[in-house]
Amino acid sequence: MSKPYIASMTRRQTLKWMGKLAASAAAFPLISGCGDLTDKPSLSGEHWPSLNLTPITGAGYGKDPNLIIVPSSPWPLTLSNDQLQLVASLCDMLIPAEGNIPSATSLGVPDVVNEWVSAPYPNQQNDRDVLLHAFAWIDDEARLRFDKTFVKLNSQQQAQILDDIAYQNAQTKPQFQRIAKAFNRFSRLALAAFFCTDEGSKDLGYMGNVAISGEYPGPSNEAKAHLDSMLHDLGLTEYAFDEGLD
């Protein structure tokens, strides 16, 4: 990211986007929940930031929100500009522009991350705790290695840090296990936000939600053959719909 990120989406847009993201949380179960990352004692060789985060207590939409007239700003956004710039750098390292597919920042993904961590709901607040500690850790690590904040590093230096925390597996060093898990949470949130957009859906090759004019022609023979094959493999052929039945 060569230029400072400037939030460009309206609160109404980010709230609608966050609603789609929350609805898809079942498909991305690690987006929310799990708030124990920040409570563990530090391992030898590990640095973990100590943050005193003030709980967000703003009112949410409630259980019966007005879907016709949506409140424009039910809670304040909480990321500082420095945090937003860090989020933007991380988003574009995860999802850079490629061919006709725009980058995460050009679609406003950092705005949605800001909306997500600022929302007063329990799951979002759990994520806020984890992600804000992760953002602080990344800047601390950048200062320890290069005496600069993450956004001021060159791309090679930034990649060097992310290479150590991008995956949590048996090869991840012990001092990076916790931040790798926290970064995984951020990655899933950013990716889910990106793939909730029309551009992200196209990048996945998703063909749904396309209006068809005139009478619905029904599924193609290729689609039917694929379904028949899947039902056969699952042992469910006998339960398949018989077109000959009235």
Side-chain angles (χ1 to χ4, degrees):
M1 191 182 69
S2 58
K3 297 180 180 178
Y5 178 76
I6 299 175
S8 58
M9 301 185 71
T10 66
R11 294 298 305 278
R12 189 179 184 86
Q13 288 174 316
T14 55
L15 287 168
K16 287 172 63 178
W17 196 348
M18 197 186 81
K20 292 167 64 178
L21 189 56
S24 68
F28 302 95
L30 291 181
I31 285 178
S32 57
C34 184
D36 61 347
L37 286 180
T38 60
D39 298 330
K40 295 180 179 178
S42 297
L43 299 172
S44 177
E46 179 196 37
H47 64 84
W48 190 252
S50 177
L51 303 181
N52 184 21
L53 300 177
T54 302
I56 294 177
T57 57
Y61 284 116
K63 296 181 178 179
D64 186 20
N66 187 334
L67 300 179
I68 306 301
I69 304 175
V70 181
S72 58
S73 301
W75 51 74
L77 297 176
T78 58
L79 287 186
S80 68
N81 184 60
D82 287 345
Q83 290 170 326
L84 191 63
Q85 298 307 317
L86 173 60
V87 168
S89 292
L90 296 172
C91 282
D92 272 359
M93 293 186 73
L94 290 170
I95 315 164
E98 185 174 303
N100 295 325
I101 304 300
S103 68
T105 54
S106 64
L107 293 178
V109 169
D111 291 0
V112 180
V113 173
N114 193 6
E115 195 75 67
W116 186 271
V117 300
S118 302
Y121 304 112
N123 287 341
Q124 279 72 20
Q125 286 305 290
N126 285 341
D127 281 349
R128 175 174 179 262
D129 185 51
V130 172
L131 297 185
L132 263 58
H133 278 82
F135 300 155
W137 185 97
I138 290 170
D139 261 344
D140 288 346
E141 185 71 10
R143 291 191 186 93
L144 287 170
R145 296 193 192 192
F146 307 108
D147 200 27
K148 296 178 182 177
T149 58
F150 187 83
V151 297
K152 293 182 178 178
L153 304 182
N154 61 45
S155 57
Q156 290 77 21
Q157 292 169 330
Q158 291 177 336
Q160 189 181 123
I161 293 175
L162 291 199
D163 284 346
D164 284 331
I165 66 173
Y167 302 100
Q168 187 198 20
N169 52 38
Q171 286 71 48
T172 306
K173 295 179 181 179
Q175 66 267 32
F176 299 135
Q177 287 285 342
R178 172 158 44 178
I179 180 59
K181 188 172 183 179
F183 186 72
N184 178 271
R185 183 80 57 82
F186 170 75
S187 302
R188 286 175 176 267
L189 176 60
L191 289 168
F194 176 77
F195 287 119
C196 277
T197 65
D198 291 342
E199 292 83 354
S201 296
K202 290 178 182 176
D203 194 28
L204 282 176
Y206 180 64
M207 303 294 289
N209 295 335
V210 177
I212 298 175
S213 61
E215 186 176 352
Y216 175 56
S220 65
N221 291 331
E222 181 184 6
K224 290 179 182 178
H226 175 70
L227 178 59
D228 287 342
S229 174
M230 295 297 295
L231 290 171
H232 176 269
D233 292 345
L234 293 170
L236 298 174
T237 299
E238 63 179 301
Y239 302 107
F241 175 74
D242 187 340
E243 290 183 287
L245 295 176
D246 293 331

